Amino acid sequence: MAGVNSLLLRTVVFTGILIGGVNIIFAGVEYGFSALPIWFYLSQLLLIPAMFIPMRMFAQASITPEFLRRATLYALGWAVPYAIYKFAGDALNPAFSPVASLIGYVITVLLFAGIFAAIRKPK
């Protein structure tokens, strides 16, 4: 059991760092690395603990036979990490619109959930 917990922890940390790094690279290329505020870098650290949610939700979703329930689990799994990724990046834009950002977030999470539920159904 310790090996499973160790593997899960490494996966969570690696995935959180990878997604945060990608977000930093994209934002740095778009706005310039020197223009990124410290809160943006620090917010990417939130991705590490946030990755525990998808690990649990995705595991449950992968064995759930009903499409709607499976899609809901995938949506819940994507919800927190994608919120950190999306809103931190969107807030850098001088023309930031919370409503437009939220609408884009909801649409993307629903799209991810539907796609994952369709292609990752249990055998």
Side-chain angles (χ1 to χ4, degrees):
M1 189 66 164
V4 171
N5 288 336
S6 175
L7 178 62
L8 177 66
L9 183 60
R10 281 195 311 263
T11 302
V12 164
V13 170
F14 177 76
T15 307
I17 290 171
L18 181 67
I19 293 171
V22 166
N23 204 20
I24 289 169
I25 290 169
F26 287 164
V29 167
E30 186 170 348
Y31 299 106
F33 290 98
S34 61
L36 296 178
I38 190 71
W39 66 260
F40 178 78
Y41 290 103
L42 294 174
S43 69
Q44 301 313 298
L45 293 174
L46 293 172
L47 285 164
I48 296 169
M51 291 312 295
F52 277 106
I53 296 167
M55 296 302 163
R56 295 196 184 281
M57 293 290 183
F58 290 178
Q60 180 63 38
S62 69
I63 59 171
T64 302
E66 304 87 24
F67 178 83
L68 191 55
R69 187 163 173 249
R70 189 170 59 250
T72 301
L73 289 168
Y74 280 121
L76 291 172
W78 280 112
V80 174
Y82 187 64
I84 294 166
Y85 179 90
K86 171 98 171 113
F87 296 133
D90 287 356
L92 293 171
N93 189 333
F96 173 62
S97 167
V99 173
S101 185
L102 182 60
I103 290 169
Y105 165 79
V106 170
I107 290 169
T108 304
V109 166
L110 292 175
L111 186 64
F112 282 174
I115 291 170
F116 270 66
I119 64 174
R120 299 193 47 117
K121 53 189 169 192
K123 305 229 184 297

